[in-house]
Amino acid sequence: MLEIVDIQEHDKVDWYEKEPCRGQIYCLSLVTYGKCVYWVNEQKQIIEKGEMLLIPAHLAYYGKSIPTMMHTKLVIYFRVQQADLELSILHQAEPLRLKLGCYDLIHEKLKVIILQWTEHTPYYELMTQTLLMQLLIEVSREYDQKLISADKHQLVDMMKHYIQRNYNHRITKEQLGEVIERTPNYAANLFKSVTNQTISDYVHHQRMKRAVYMLTESQLTIAEISEFLGYRDLSYFYRVFKRMMGTVPSELMQDRPPIL
């Protein structure tokens, strides 16, 4: 079992943290913007956006912001209560730094964990423990496949940027193959192997992020939002939204600002 000790969101230019070796607590840090510095075992680690650092429980460390540079990150401190928990990333003698292919999945899981933790929703402790276990499994799977080459990361980033600019249109593996100048099947297989998501899943993910913003911040109807995002069938938009977000679109509309 896992025991979450604390969860923090950092968005500072003057962050400093010194954590002595105590209580066998792991530190998992995901940088979502900018970069920051950790010192572990007198080794300097500059962690940038898209990278995760997992500091084993037996190591003391300290971290700080890079002067005048803004950064944001999500951090979970946790204990492992089963010594035989067979996850490769939990059995490293040194800090583990990864540029994650599955960054978007991990980022979303961390945001849900933080939401559950801060709002103390029913069964939040069990929910956050379960989500953290899923997160660690995803990262372990990627780690077990060994490090992804910088060239492959670059190709996948090119495909992601194309999707992020065109998510409200139909996107095919043929289009992405042209973007990276590879065959359609190579593009689709590469995307799945690096991100652990299909192209379709990633497109839906981008659409849902935009849907949440539009449902809470705009005055558009659900039908108008659905059409803008590329869903011609409103019922299909409802099904995708419910599956990915765990609620229905109308629930989010209650948070809209009043019309002045």
mmCIF file of all heavy atoms in Angstrom, residues 30 50 52 98-109 134-143 145 148 153 156 160 191-197 202 205:
data_model
loop_
_atom_site.group_PDB
_atom_site.id
_atom_site.type_symbol
_atom_site.label_atom_id
_atom_site.label_comp_id
_atom_site.label_asym_id
_atom_site.label_seq_id
_atom_site.Cartn_x
_atom_site.Cartn_y
_atom_site.Cartn_z
ATOM 1 N N LEU A 30 6.783 16.771 -10.603
ATOM 2 C CA LEU A 30 6.555 16.918 -12.041
ATOM 3 C C LEU A 30 6.538 18.401 -12.378
ATOM 4 O O LEU A 30 5.655 19.138 -11.918
ATOM 5 C CB LEU A 30 5.232 16.275 -12.459
ATOM 6 C CG LEU A 30 4.920 16.343 -13.959
ATOM 7 C CD1 LEU A 30 5.803 15.365 -14.738
ATOM 8 C CD2 LEU A 30 3.444 16.043 -14.231
ATOM 9 N N GLY A 50 7.884 18.962 -18.341
ATOM 10 C CA GLY A 50 7.726 17.651 -18.962
ATOM 11 C C GLY A 50 8.563 16.577 -18.311
ATOM 12 O O GLY A 50 8.442 15.405 -18.651
ATOM 13 N N MET A 52 10.009 14.487 -14.850
ATOM 14 C CA MET A 52 9.651 14.043 -13.506
ATOM 15 C C MET A 52 10.912 13.648 -12.769
ATOM 16 O O MET A 52 11.818 13.048 -13.347
ATOM 17 C CB MET A 52 8.715 12.834 -13.589
ATOM 18 C CG MET A 52 8.197 12.346 -12.241
ATOM 19 S SD MET A 52 7.665 10.612 -12.308
ATOM 20 C CE MET A 52 9.269 9.806 -12.155
ATOM 21 N N LEU A 98 13.115 11.509 -15.421
ATOM 22 C CA LEU A 98 12.587 11.027 -16.693
ATOM 23 C C LEU A 98 11.916 12.159 -17.455
ATOM 24 O O LEU A 98 11.160 12.947 -16.867
ATOM 25 C CB LEU A 98 11.545 9.923 -16.471
ATOM 26 C CG LEU A 98 12.016 8.555 -15.973
ATOM 27 C CD1 LEU A 98 10.812 7.686 -15.680
ATOM 28 C CD2 LEU A 98 12.914 7.894 -16.998
ATOM 29 N N LYS A 99 12.177 12.231 -18.736
ATOM 30 C CA LYS A 99 11.355 13.050 -19.631
ATOM 31 C C LYS A 99 10.241 12.144 -20.104
ATOM 32 O O LYS A 99 10.475 11.184 -20.843
ATOM 33 C CB LYS A 99 12.158 13.578 -20.821
ATOM 34 C CG LYS A 99 11.316 14.424 -21.776
ATOM 35 C CD LYS A 99 12.165 15.061 -22.859
ATOM 36 C CE LYS A 99 11.305 15.771 -23.901
ATOM 37 N NZ LYS A 99 10.473 16.831 -23.308
ATOM 38 N N LEU A 100 9.025 12.400 -19.652
ATOM 39 C CA LEU A 100 7.937 11.452 -19.806
ATOM 40 C C LEU A 100 7.272 11.526 -21.172
ATOM 41 O O LEU A 100 6.822 12.584 -21.598
ATOM 42 C CB LEU A 100 6.880 11.694 -18.725
ATOM 43 C CG LEU A 100 7.327 11.411 -17.276
ATOM 44 C CD1 LEU A 100 6.274 11.918 -16.313
ATOM 45 C CD2 LEU A 100 7.574 9.934 -17.070
ATOM 46 N N GLY A 101 7.189 10.391 -21.823
ATOM 47 C CA GLY A 101 6.360 10.306 -23.015
ATOM 48 C C GLY A 101 4.887 10.381 -22.642
ATOM 49 O O GLY A 101 4.071 10.931 -23.365
ATOM 50 N N CYS A 102 4.556 9.818 -21.464
ATOM 51 C CA CYS A 102 3.161 9.816 -20.991
ATOM 52 C C CYS A 102 2.900 11.027 -20.095
ATOM 53 O O CYS A 102 2.074 10.954 -19.180
ATOM 54 C CB CYS A 102 2.852 8.522 -20.252
ATOM 55 S SG CYS A 102 3.885 8.212 -18.785
ATOM 56 N N TYR A 103 3.586 12.135 -20.348
ATOM 57 C CA TYR A 103 3.478 13.330 -19.508
ATOM 58 C C TYR A 103 2.025 13.780 -19.318
ATOM 59 O O TYR A 103 1.602 14.087 -18.196
ATOM 60 C CB TYR A 103 4.292 14.471 -20.122
ATOM 61 C CG TYR A 103 4.004 15.828 -19.521
ATOM 62 C CD1 TYR A 103 4.571 16.209 -18.312
ATOM 63 C CD2 TYR A 103 3.150 16.731 -20.163
ATOM 64 C CE1 TYR A 103 4.308 17.445 -17.748
ATOM 65 C CE2 TYR A 103 2.880 17.970 -19.609
ATOM 66 C CZ TYR A 103 3.454 18.321 -18.403
ATOM 67 O OH TYR A 103 3.169 19.547 -17.847
ATOM 68 N N ASP A 104 1.259 13.822 -20.407
ATOM 69 C CA ASP A 104 -0.116 14.328 -20.294
ATOM 70 C C ASP A 104 -0.965 13.462 -19.371
ATOM 71 O O ASP A 104 -1.768 13.979 -18.584
ATOM 72 C CB ASP A 104 -0.754 14.415 -21.683
ATOM 73 C CG ASP A 104 -0.073 15.450 -22.554
ATOM 74 O OD1 ASP A 104 -0.341 16.647 -22.377
ATOM 75 O OD2 ASP A 104 0.748 15.063 -23.401
ATOM 76 N N LEU A 105 -0.802 12.135 -19.466
ATOM 77 C CA LEU A 105 -1.538 11.234 -18.581
ATOM 78 C C LEU A 105 -1.154 11.468 -17.120
ATOM 79 O O LEU A 105 -2.025 11.546 -16.244
ATOM 80 C CB LEU A 105 -1.247 9.778 -18.956
ATOM 81 C CG LEU A 105 -1.967 9.193 -20.168
ATOM 82 C CD1 LEU A 105 -1.490 7.759 -20.408
ATOM 83 C CD2 LEU A 105 -3.472 9.206 -19.969
ATOM 84 N N ILE A 106 0.148 11.584 -16.872
ATOM 85 C CA ILE A 106 0.622 11.772 -15.502
ATOM 86 C C ILE A 106 0.174 13.128 -14.958
ATOM 87 O O ILE A 106 -0.256 13.244 -13.803
ATOM 88 C CB ILE A 106 2.155 11.652 -15.446
ATOM 89 C CG1 ILE A 106 2.603 10.283 -15.954
ATOM 90 C CG2 ILE A 106 2.663 11.899 -14.042
ATOM 91 C CD1 ILE A 106 1.940 9.111 -15.275
ATOM 92 N N HIS A 107 0.253 14.149 -15.784
ATOM 93 C CA HIS A 107 -0.175 15.490 -15.377
ATOM 94 C C HIS A 107 -1.648 15.488 -14.977
ATOM 95 O O HIS A 107 -2.026 16.032 -13.922
ATOM 96 C CB HIS A 107 0.069 16.471 -16.528
ATOM 97 C CG HIS A 107 -0.163 17.899 -16.148
ATOM 98 N ND1 HIS A 107 -0.288 18.907 -17.069
ATOM 99 C CD2 HIS A 107 -0.290 18.504 -14.933
ATOM 100 C CE1 HIS A 107 -0.491 20.049 -16.451
ATOM 101 N NE2 HIS A 107 -0.490 19.836 -15.156
ATOM 102 N N GLU A 108 -2.492 14.867 -15.799
ATOM 103 C CA GLU A 108 -3.919 14.837 -15.498
ATOM 104 C C GLU A 108 -4.199 14.059 -14.221
ATOM 105 O O GLU A 108 -5.033 14.467 -13.409
ATOM 106 C CB GLU A 108 -4.685 14.220 -16.677
ATOM 107 C CG GLU A 108 -4.792 15.128 -17.881
ATOM 108 C CD GLU A 108 -5.436 16.466 -17.550
ATOM 109 O OE1 GLU A 108 -6.507 16.475 -16.910
ATOM 110 O OE2 GLU A 108 -4.859 17.509 -17.910
ATOM 111 N N LYS A 109 -3.525 12.917 -14.031
ATOM 112 C CA LYS A 109 -3.732 12.129 -12.820
ATOM 113 C C LYS A 109 -3.322 12.927 -11.573
ATOM 114 O O LYS A 109 -4.005 12.902 -10.545
ATOM 115 C CB LYS A 109 -2.945 10.826 -12.889
ATOM 116 C CG LYS A 109 -3.688 9.690 -13.605
ATOM 117 C CD LYS A 109 -2.980 8.373 -13.446
ATOM 118 C CE LYS A 109 -3.805 7.198 -13.925
ATOM 119 N NZ LYS A 109 -4.739 7.395 -14.987
ATOM 120 N N GLN A 134 -1.829 3.957 -9.863
ATOM 121 C CA GLN A 134 -1.950 3.933 -11.320
ATOM 122 C C GLN A 134 -0.865 4.777 -11.969
ATOM 123 O O GLN A 134 -0.267 4.386 -12.978
ATOM 124 C CB GLN A 134 -3.334 4.440 -11.734
ATOM 125 C CG GLN A 134 -4.490 3.533 -11.342
ATOM 126 C CD GLN A 134 -5.839 4.141 -11.643
ATOM 127 O OE1 GLN A 134 -5.929 5.288 -12.100
ATOM 128 N NE2 GLN A 134 -6.892 3.406 -11.391
ATOM 129 N N LEU A 135 -0.603 5.941 -11.388
ATOM 130 C CA LEU A 135 0.426 6.841 -11.908
ATOM 131 C C LEU A 135 1.798 6.163 -11.880
ATOM 132 O O LEU A 135 2.545 6.191 -12.864
ATOM 133 C CB LEU A 135 0.425 8.115 -11.072
ATOM 134 C CG LEU A 135 1.372 9.253 -11.429
ATOM 135 C CD1 LEU A 135 0.810 10.565 -10.889
ATOM 136 C CD2 LEU A 135 2.767 9.045 -10.828
ATOM 137 N N LEU A 136 2.126 5.541 -10.759
ATOM 138 C CA LEU A 136 3.428 4.885 -10.625
ATOM 139 C C LEU A 136 3.558 3.695 -11.572
ATOM 140 O O LEU A 136 4.646 3.409 -12.085
ATOM 141 C CB LEU A 136 3.641 4.439 -9.181
ATOM 142 C CG LEU A 136 3.740 5.567 -8.144
ATOM 143 C CD1 LEU A 136 3.801 4.997 -6.737
ATOM 144 C CD2 LEU A 136 4.949 6.452 -8.405
ATOM 145 N N ILE A 137 2.452 3.020 -11.823
ATOM 146 C CA ILE A 137 2.472 1.907 -12.778
ATOM 147 C C ILE A 137 2.764 2.422 -14.179
ATOM 148 O O ILE A 137 3.576 1.843 -14.915
ATOM 149 C CB ILE A 137 1.133 1.137 -12.738
ATOM 150 C CG1 ILE A 137 1.012 0.353 -11.423
ATOM 151 C CG2 ILE A 137 1.019 0.177 -13.935
ATOM 152 C CD1 ILE A 137 -0.347 -0.269 -11.198
ATOM 153 N N GLU A 138 2.102 3.519 -14.575
ATOM 154 C CA GLU A 138 2.336 4.090 -15.906
ATOM 155 C C GLU A 138 3.802 4.486 -16.082
ATOM 156 O O GLU A 138 4.424 4.205 -17.113
ATOM 157 C CB GLU A 138 1.439 5.311 -16.121
ATOM 158 C CG GLU A 138 -0.049 5.013 -16.241
ATOM 159 C CD GLU A 138 -0.416 4.317 -17.538
ATOM 160 O OE1 GLU A 138 0.436 4.220 -18.437
ATOM 161 O OE2 GLU A 138 -1.558 3.862 -17.634
ATOM 162 N N VAL A 139 4.356 5.142 -15.067
ATOM 163 C CA VAL A 139 5.745 5.576 -15.165
ATOM 164 C C VAL A 139 6.681 4.364 -15.179
ATOM 165 O O VAL A 139 7.666 4.333 -15.923
ATOM 166 C CB VAL A 139 6.103 6.527 -14.010
ATOM 167 C CG1 VAL A 139 7.585 6.898 -14.051
ATOM 168 C CG2 VAL A 139 5.252 7.791 -14.079
ATOM 169 N N SER A 140 6.373 3.347 -14.373
ATOM 170 C CA SER A 140 7.202 2.141 -14.354
ATOM 171 C C SER A 140 7.187 1.441 -15.700
ATOM 172 O O SER A 140 8.220 0.950 -16.175
ATOM 173 C CB SER A 140 6.720 1.179 -13.257
ATOM 174 O OG SER A 140 7.001 1.679 -11.971
ATOM 175 N N ARG A 141 6.031 1.391 -16.335
ATOM 176 C CA ARG A 141 5.946 0.767 -17.656
ATOM 177 C C ARG A 141 6.845 1.490 -18.657
ATOM 178 O O ARG A 141 7.545 0.856 -19.437
ATOM 179 C CB ARG A 141 4.495 0.785 -18.151
ATOM 180 C CG ARG A 141 3.601 -0.258 -17.519
ATOM 181 C CD ARG A 141 2.165 -0.095 -17.969
ATOM 182 N NE ARG A 141 1.320 -1.193 -17.511
ATOM 183 C CZ ARG A 141 0.000 -1.200 -17.605
ATOM 184 N NH1 ARG A 141 -0.636 -0.151 -18.138
ATOM 185 N NH2 ARG A 141 -0.695 -2.228 -17.171
ATOM 186 N N GLU A 142 6.799 2.810 -18.615
ATOM 187 C CA GLU A 142 7.642 3.571 -19.531
ATOM 188 C C GLU A 142 9.113 3.364 -19.191
ATOM 189 O O GLU A 142 9.943 3.182 -20.091
ATOM 190 C CB GLU A 142 7.282 5.051 -19.482
ATOM 191 C CG GLU A 142 8.117 5.894 -20.431
ATOM 192 C CD GLU A 142 7.590 7.313 -20.595
ATOM 193 O OE1 GLU A 142 6.359 7.489 -20.651
ATOM 194 O OE2 GLU A 142 8.418 8.232 -20.672
ATOM 195 N N TYR A 143 9.428 3.364 -17.917
ATOM 196 C CA TYR A 143 10.818 3.185 -17.508
ATOM 197 C C TYR A 143 11.323 1.794 -17.910
ATOM 198 O O TYR A 143 12.469 1.636 -18.355
ATOM 199 C CB TYR A 143 10.952 3.380 -16.004
ATOM 200 C CG TYR A 143 12.348 3.152 -15.483
ATOM 201 C CD1 TYR A 143 13.362 4.071 -15.727
ATOM 202 C CD2 TYR A 143 12.660 1.997 -14.758
ATOM 203 C CE1 TYR A 143 14.650 3.864 -15.255
ATOM 204 C CE2 TYR A 143 13.941 1.780 -14.287
ATOM 205 C CZ TYR A 143 14.932 2.716 -14.539
ATOM 206 O OH TYR A 143 16.201 2.506 -14.084
ATOM 207 N N GLN A 145 10.557 0.098 -20.405
ATOM 208 C CA GLN A 145 10.820 0.045 -21.842
ATOM 209 C C GLN A 145 12.113 0.768 -22.194
ATOM 210 O O GLN A 145 12.452 0.901 -23.362
ATOM 211 C CB GLN A 145 9.655 0.675 -22.616
ATOM 212 C CG GLN A 145 8.360 -0.117 -22.508
ATOM 213 C CD GLN A 145 7.186 0.614 -23.144
ATOM 214 O OE1 GLN A 145 7.302 1.774 -23.560
ATOM 215 N NE2 GLN A 145 6.051 -0.049 -23.222
ATOM 216 N N ILE A 148 13.383 6.631 -23.846
ATOM 217 C CA ILE A 148 12.975 6.947 -25.214
ATOM 218 C C ILE A 148 13.984 7.937 -25.787
ATOM 219 O O ILE A 148 14.365 8.904 -25.133
ATOM 220 C CB ILE A 148 11.559 7.547 -25.224
ATOM 221 C CG1 ILE A 148 10.568 6.535 -24.637
ATOM 222 C CG2 ILE A 148 11.146 7.944 -26.629
ATOM 223 C CD1 ILE A 148 9.220 7.144 -24.318
ATOM 224 N N HIS A 153 11.222 11.545 -29.079
ATOM 225 C CA HIS A 153 10.507 12.591 -28.337
ATOM 226 C C HIS A 153 10.223 13.786 -29.254
ATOM 227 O O HIS A 153 9.136 14.363 -29.219
ATOM 228 C CB HIS A 153 11.333 13.058 -27.138
ATOM 229 C CG HIS A 153 11.069 12.295 -25.883
ATOM 230 N ND1 HIS A 153 9.827 12.249 -25.282
ATOM 231 C CD2 HIS A 153 11.888 11.540 -25.105
ATOM 232 C CE1 HIS A 153 9.886 11.520 -24.190
ATOM 233 N NE2 HIS A 153 11.128 11.069 -24.057
ATOM 234 N N VAL A 156 7.361 12.980 -31.664
ATOM 235 C CA VAL A 156 6.067 12.970 -30.968
ATOM 236 C C VAL A 156 5.660 14.392 -30.585
ATOM 237 O O VAL A 156 4.479 14.750 -30.682
ATOM 238 C CB VAL A 156 6.120 12.051 -29.729
ATOM 239 C CG1 VAL A 156 4.866 12.215 -28.870
ATOM 240 C CG2 VAL A 156 6.263 10.597 -30.162
ATOM 241 N N LYS A 160 2.199 16.230 -31.397
ATOM 242 C CA LYS A 160 1.385 16.858 -30.356
ATOM 243 C C LYS A 160 1.080 18.317 -30.700
ATOM 244 O O LYS A 160 -0.061 18.775 -30.544
ATOM 245 C CB LYS A 160 2.113 16.795 -29.010
ATOM 246 C CG LYS A 160 2.097 15.439 -28.337
ATOM 247 C CD LYS A 160 2.800 15.535 -26.981
ATOM 248 C CE LYS A 160 2.740 14.250 -26.207
ATOM 249 N NZ LYS A 160 3.418 14.353 -24.889
ATOM 250 N N PHE A 191 3.499 7.229 -31.716
ATOM 251 C CA PHE A 191 2.718 8.042 -30.791
ATOM 252 C C PHE A 191 2.231 7.194 -29.620
ATOM 253 O O PHE A 191 2.332 7.593 -28.459
ATOM 254 C CB PHE A 191 1.527 8.675 -31.514
ATOM 255 C CG PHE A 191 0.894 9.807 -30.770
ATOM 256 C CD1 PHE A 191 1.318 11.111 -30.971
ATOM 257 C CD2 PHE A 191 -0.118 9.579 -29.850
ATOM 258 C CE1 PHE A 191 0.749 12.167 -30.273
ATOM 259 C CE2 PHE A 191 -0.696 10.621 -29.143
ATOM 260 C CZ PHE A 191 -0.268 11.919 -29.351
ATOM 261 N N LYS A 192 1.718 6.000 -29.922
ATOM 262 C CA LYS A 192 1.202 5.119 -28.862
ATOM 263 C C LYS A 192 2.328 4.634 -27.957
ATOM 264 O O LYS A 192 2.178 4.597 -26.727
ATOM 265 C CB LYS A 192 0.500 3.913 -29.503
ATOM 266 C CG LYS A 192 -0.074 2.905 -28.497
ATOM 267 C CD LYS A 192 -1.229 3.526 -27.732
ATOM 268 C CE LYS A 192 -2.055 2.463 -27.005
ATOM 269 N NZ LYS A 192 -1.331 1.876 -25.869
ATOM 270 N N SER A 193 3.464 4.269 -28.533
ATOM 271 C CA SER A 193 4.547 3.713 -27.725
ATOM 272 C C SER A 193 5.149 4.749 -26.788
ATOM 273 O O SER A 193 5.581 4.421 -25.682
ATOM 274 C CB SER A 193 5.634 3.126 -28.631
ATOM 275 O OG SER A 193 6.298 4.144 -29.364
ATOM 276 N N VAL A 194 5.170 6.020 -27.203
ATOM 277 C CA VAL A 194 5.785 7.067 -26.380
ATOM 278 C C VAL A 194 4.809 7.635 -25.364
ATOM 279 O O VAL A 194 5.158 7.852 -24.206
ATOM 280 C CB VAL A 194 6.348 8.191 -27.274
ATOM 281 C CG1 VAL A 194 6.810 9.379 -26.426
ATOM 282 C CG2 VAL A 194 7.506 7.671 -28.110
ATOM 283 N N THR A 195 3.573 7.886 -25.772
ATOM 284 C CA THR A 195 2.611 8.563 -24.896
ATOM 285 C C THR A 195 1.688 7.612 -24.142
ATOM 286 O O THR A 195 1.008 8.019 -23.205
ATOM 287 C CB THR A 195 1.717 9.519 -25.706
ATOM 288 O OG1 THR A 195 0.864 8.749 -26.578
ATOM 289 C CG2 THR A 195 2.552 10.483 -26.538
ATOM 290 N N ASN A 196 1.647 6.350 -24.570
ATOM 291 C CA ASN A 196 0.694 5.367 -24.030
ATOM 292 C C ASN A 196 -0.744 5.789 -24.286
ATOM 293 O O ASN A 196 -1.659 5.401 -23.563
ATOM 294 C CB ASN A 196 0.911 5.129 -22.534
ATOM 295 C CG ASN A 196 0.385 3.771 -22.089
ATOM 296 O OD1 ASN A 196 0.316 2.833 -22.885
ATOM 297 N ND2 ASN A 196 0.001 3.656 -20.838
ATOM 298 N N GLN A 197 -0.948 6.610 -25.307
ATOM 299 C CA GLN A 197 -2.265 7.009 -25.762
ATOM 300 C C GLN A 197 -2.331 6.842 -27.273
ATOM 301 O O GLN A 197 -1.332 7.046 -27.971
ATOM 302 C CB GLN A 197 -2.550 8.482 -25.433
ATOM 303 C CG GLN A 197 -2.728 8.794 -23.975
ATOM 304 C CD GLN A 197 -2.982 10.272 -23.763
ATOM 305 O OE1 GLN A 197 -2.094 11.104 -23.905
ATOM 306 N NE2 GLN A 197 -4.205 10.625 -23.425
ATOM 307 N N TYR A 202 -5.655 11.131 -27.599
ATOM 308 C CA TYR A 202 -4.997 12.421 -27.350
ATOM 309 C C TYR A 202 -5.833 13.568 -27.911
ATOM 310 O O TYR A 202 -5.946 14.622 -27.283
ATOM 311 C CB TYR A 202 -3.599 12.436 -27.964
ATOM 312 C CG TYR A 202 -2.783 13.637 -27.553
ATOM 313 C CD1 TYR A 202 -2.192 13.693 -26.296
ATOM 314 C CD2 TYR A 202 -2.612 14.720 -28.416
ATOM 315 C CE1 TYR A 202 -1.448 14.795 -25.906
ATOM 316 C CE2 TYR A 202 -1.860 15.831 -28.025
ATOM 317 C CZ TYR A 202 -1.291 15.860 -26.773
ATOM 318 O OH TYR A 202 -0.552 16.961 -26.374
ATOM 319 N N HIS A 205 -8.610 14.137 -25.582
ATOM 320 C CA HIS A 205 -8.071 14.758 -24.372
ATOM 321 C C HIS A 205 -7.925 16.271 -24.564
ATOM 322 O O HIS A 205 -8.316 17.063 -23.691
ATOM 323 C CB HIS A 205 -6.713 14.131 -24.043
ATOM 324 C CG HIS A 205 -6.005 14.766 -22.900
ATOM 325 N ND1 HIS A 205 -6.292 14.470 -21.587
ATOM 326 C CD2 HIS A 205 -5.012 15.700 -22.862
ATOM 327 C CE1 HIS A 205 -5.518 15.194 -20.797
ATOM 328 N NE2 HIS A 205 -4.731 15.947 -21.532
#
